[in-house]
Amino acid sequence: MYKNIAKKEKITLADQIEYQAGQVVSKTLVQNDKVSMTLFSFDKGEEISTHAAAGVTVLDGTGRFTVGGEVFILNAGETLIMPKDIPHAVYGEEKFKMQLVVSY
């Protein structure tokens, strides 16, 4: 069920993924038919175009989330739950890391 992550060890999620200049980086931690959990890092100015997903928590920095045309600015420690099937887009206001959780 879990992969790419230490077990039975105290960790900080933001430390589990690195920034790369000019890129969006992803690292899948859980993937099965019930849930998916993925970490992302965004360089400043990088984005993911409109798509649909469930909930995000910003781990580091600041990200801009556009959900159904409404804009949300999230900082480290803040979470946004997005309604099912409502398109959203993600943009790095500055370098930032986030955790994405999708339940099926």
Side-chain angles (χ1 to χ4, degrees), residues 14-29:
D15 294 342
Q16 303 305 304
I17 191 164
E18 299 298 323
Y19 290 111
Q20 291 188 20
Q23 294 187 31
V24 175
V25 179
S26 68
K27 181 178 183 181
T28 300
L29 303 181

Side-chain angles (χ1 to χ4, degrees), residues 52-79:
V56 296
T57 299
V58 172
L59 304 172
D60 183 48
T62 302
R64 181 177 74 213
F65 298 81
T66 304
V67 182
E70 191 172 351
V71 175
F72 299 86
I73 303 296
L74 273 69
N75 298 297
E78 296 179 321
T79 298

Side-chain angles (χ1 to χ4, degrees), residues 27-103:
K27 181 178 183 181
T28 300
L29 303 181
V30 177
Q31 184 73 53
N32 60 46
D33 61 347
K34 303 266 188 232
V35 68
S36 168
M37 184 168 65
T38 307
L39 301 178
F40 287 88
S41 67
F42 288 70
D43 196 11
K44 180 178 180 178
E46 293 300 313
E47 66 184 314
I48 296 177
S49 59
T50 302
H51 59 286
V56 296
T57 299
V58 172
L59 304 172
D60 183 48
T62 302
R64 181 177 74 213
F65 298 81
T66 304
V67 182
E70 191 172 351
V71 175
F72 299 86
I73 303 296
L74 273 69
N75 298 297
E78 296 179 321
T79 298
L80 177 65
I81 305 300
M82 292 167 277
K84 184 179 183 207
D85 300 326
I86 301 297
H88 72 270
V90 183
Y91 177 80
E93 288 289 312
E94 59 183 52
K95 289 175 27 173
F96 86 102
K97 296 178 183 180
M98 71 177 201
Q99 174 189 30
L100 171 69
V101 177
V102 179
S103 59

